[in-house]
Amino acid sequence: MCSAKTLKNVPEVFYYAQKSVLYPTAPVYDVDKKQLTLLGVKCFSRIFKLCDMDNDGRLNDSELNEFQLKCFGVSLSSSSLQEVKSLLRSNSENLIENEITLKGFLHLQMLFFKKGRHETSWTVLKKFGYAKTLSLSQEYTSISMKIPDSCSIELSQKCYEFLQFLFNKHDKDKDGCLNEKELGELFSVCPIVPWGKDVHNTVETNLDGSITFCGYLSQWILTTYFDIKTSAEHLAYLGYNNFFNETLNSAYIGKLF
């Protein structure tokens, strides 16, 4: 019971009121069903895929520790790591070869909300660009560079490094090309696959129609030249900001005509 007259429990009421505003439950967790919302699952699935650096569908100890560092600024101790995994052992699908699966990662986020630790999951969501509506914030998906009329805007060396990392990560058969399935996997963290089927007729491909690395880069260069806003949004969804822990500004450079 709270009493304004005696101030009994008033601090607690203010604390929980503030918590509900800063770390809202409804967009992420369905209290009645005791599970993450569909939108919450979608957001955490994107985060999982971005952190799965070797693209094997699991987070190994190194990837999990890197995730912890990015989100909370501290490393996981071996005891903390084992404690996390012990929470997941109730279901064999949560861990494979002692590495955390997507299902296990989603289960962890659900547990944080069940235990009232909303701020933990929201710290993760905000680090990966999400606003309270669970859409990526404008600050996360846009650039603030002022480009003089005498300049064009191009991809920076850092951006080329990031794009090469993505290409190598999703080229599962290591043939130096991205087939339709691999390209779909690469863009699975985006709202839609931004390149239509006609892209295979406009960039370099191999004899099977898979996009070569040269063709892949040329499409990024073309998109950036004609539509910098779309280019920036795609890079944000693909995790450029978190890869370098920088804003999208470093992905571009101005060049004199």
Side-chain angles (χ1 to χ4, degrees), residues 114-128:
K114 276 188 174 181
K115 294 177 181 293
R117 293 175 55 186
H118 308 174
E119 65 276 10
T120 301
S121 287
W122 267 110
T123 297
V124 173
L125 288 166
K126 289 177 180 178
K127 186 64 179 178
F128 283 84

Side-chain angles (χ1 to χ4, degrees), residues 87-102:
L87 293 172
L88 300 174
R89 289 199 170 93
S90 58
N91 188 322
S92 60
E93 294 182 352
N94 290 338
L95 292 169
I96 294 179
E97 296 179 0
N98 207 34
E99 296 178 350
I100 297 177
T101 63
L102 173 58

Side-chain angles (χ1 to χ4, degrees), residues 13-232:
V13 170
F14 276 108
Y15 168 76
Y16 285 109
Q18 183 183 50
K19 189 173 181 178
S20 67
V21 173
L22 293 175
Y23 314 113
T25 301
V28 191
Y29 181 72
D30 188 320
V31 176
D32 294 329
K33 294 182 179 179
K34 294 182 172 55
Q35 63 186 29
L36 296 176
T37 62
L38 290 177
L39 190 52
V41 169
K42 184 178 179 180
C43 295
F44 285 120
S45 295
R46 168 180 170 263
I47 292 169
F48 178 89
K49 290 180 178 181
L50 296 185
C51 294
D52 180 15
M53 303 299 277
D54 58 8
N55 199 27
D56 67 350
R58 309 192 295 263
L59 295 185
N60 58 41
D61 291 356
S62 177
E63 291 166 336
L64 194 61
N65 196 51
E66 185 64 26
F67 163 78
Q68 174 78 9
L69 275 171
K70 283 183 178 180
C71 294
F72 304 103
V74 293
S75 300
L76 274 173
S77 65
S78 58
S79 59
S80 296
L81 190 59
Q82 294 311 311
E83 184 180 344
V84 167
K85 291 182 180 181
S86 67
L87 293 172
L88 300 174
R89 289 199 170 93
S90 58
N91 188 322
S92 60
E93 294 182 352
N94 290 338
L95 292 169
I96 294 179
E97 296 179 0
N98 207 34
E99 296 178 350
I100 297 177
T101 63
L102 173 58
K103 185 166 185 174
F105 185 74
L106 295 175
H107 184 71
L108 273 179
Q109 305 309 321
M110 182 186 67
L111 286 179
F112 289 138
F113 276 92
K114 276 188 174 181
K115 294 177 181 293
R117 293 175 55 186
H118 308 174
E119 65 276 10
T120 301
S121 287
W122 267 110
T123 297
V124 173
L125 288 166
K126 289 177 180 178
K127 186 64 179 178
F128 283 84
Y130 291 101
K132 290 179 183 177
T133 56
L134 288 189
S135 58
L136 293 187
S137 68
Q138 185 176 355
E139 181 184 15
Y140 188 85
T141 60
S142 59
I143 61 172
S144 57
M145 296 172 63
K146 292 184 178 180
I147 308 299
D149 294 337
S150 59
C151 290
S152 63
I153 190 163
E154 298 181 0
L155 300 173
S156 68
Q157 184 59 39
K158 267 192 171 182
C159 191
Y160 281 119
E161 291 172 10
F162 176 68
L163 292 176
Q164 183 166 20
F165 163 77
L166 285 181
F167 186 94
N168 293 337
K169 174 180 177 178
H170 292 279
D171 179 18
K172 283 207 162 186
D173 55 11
K174 304 305 176 188
D175 65 347
C177 299
L178 294 179
N179 59 40
E180 190 172 345
K181 182 179 179 181
E182 290 168 338
L183 191 65
E185 284 291 326
L186 189 152
F187 285 117
S188 66
V189 293
C190 300
I192 59 170
V193 177
W195 300 352
K197 290 185 180 296
D198 60 330
V199 72
H200 297 274
N201 301 318
T202 57
V203 302
E204 182 181 83
T205 63
N206 65 7
L207 293 176
D208 296 324
S210 298
I211 298 175
T212 65
F213 182 62
C214 181
Y216 164 82
L217 283 184
S218 66
Q219 183 65 19
W220 273 106
I221 292 168
L222 192 68
T223 302
T224 301
Y225 182 80
F226 285 108
D227 191 351
I228 180 63
K229 182 175 182 293
T230 296
S231 172

